[in-house]
Amino acid sequence: MQIKIEIGDITTYEVDAIVNAANRTLLGGGGVDGAIHRAAGPELLKECKALNGCDTGEAKITQGYRLPSPYVIHTVGPIWKGGYQSEAVLLANCYRNSILLAEQKELRSMAFPAISTGAFQFPLDKAAGIAIDTVSEMLKQVKKVEKIIFVCFDDKTYQAYHQINA
Ligand code: ADP
């Protein structure tokens, strides 16, 4: 069982599944979602169109197409609305449901972006705490998934994760 925190571009990661911080339509968007769709190629959008969207906190899996990772797990983080709309629970659900889906598919390694901390404005320190707590707890419960990498796109995010992990 292993948790790593790294700075990088998640679209370059050779893990069994990279996780996409998608929106409810699953039809692409900005940020990490846009980067994943660009790197995977148009076949990804085609498969996503057949999924009929995804609820907040839930997760759905597709192939990775031109990505180095064979699978993409698409999860929809909550939009931060001040913390009074179950945002923390919903964000924890994203990590939990993504790992459960990977476990079902018998995947061993996954990379997560900092879900909801970009356009969805979830406070970074809180989000990093939820990410690390939920993933640590889940890794104790699953059998196949054994390696999780938190891929931070910038130094601020990297520092926030390390603060929690210290
Ligand atoms: P959300 O809508 O869930 O907030 P964003 O994509 O706007 O999603 O941001 C989530 C996080 O993903 C942010 O920390 C952002 O900097 C980061 N990010 C953007 N592009 C990439 C990438 N290529 N690899 C990893 N992380 C990325």
Side-chain angles (χ1 to χ4, degrees), residues 8-10 21 31-32 35 114-120 153 157:
D9 174 351
I10 204 165
V32 70
I115 300 165
S116 284
T117 66
F120 284 1
F153 203 49
T157 304

Side-chain angles (χ1 to χ4, degrees), residues 57-114:
E58 302 298 316
K60 293 190 176 180
I61 193 164
T62 65
Q63 293 184 59
Y65 299 98
R66 300 177 199 174
L67 288 163
S69 58
Y71 293 99
V72 179
I73 293 176
H74 306 262
T75 188
V76 183
I79 299 171
W80 181 258
K81 292 183 178 147
Y84 303 103
Q85 303 208 19
S86 306
E87 293 97 320
V89 173
L90 291 167
L91 185 61
N93 287 349
C94 288
Y95 288 95
R96 181 176 305 116
N97 287 324
S98 297
I99 292 172
L100 288 174
L101 194 48
E103 179 74 6
Q104 257 177 38
K105 291 278 177 189
E106 305 196 338
L107 307 183
R108 305 173 83 85
S109 58
M110 306 171 72
F112 278 97

Side-chain angles (χ1 to χ4, degrees), residues 24-28 37 42-54 60-63 65 74:
R24 290 164 61 106
T25 68
L26 296 186
L27 300 181
H37 275 272
E43 297 94 338
L44 179 61
L45 181 59
K46 201 173 164 208
E47 187 176 355
C48 283
K49 278 181 179 160
L51 296 176
N52 290 315
C54 182
K60 293 190 176 180
I61 193 164
T62 65
Q63 293 184 59
Y65 299 98
H74 306 262

Side-chain angles (χ1 to χ4, degrees), residues 124-145:
L124 181 55
D125 292 346
K126 273 193 218 302
I130 291 167
I132 289 181
D133 286 354
T134 308
V135 165
S136 306
E137 194 48 48
M138 287 304 296
L139 279 182
K140 292 181 200 155
Q141 296 175 27
V142 292
K143 291 196 168 68
K144 302 286 177 191
V145 181

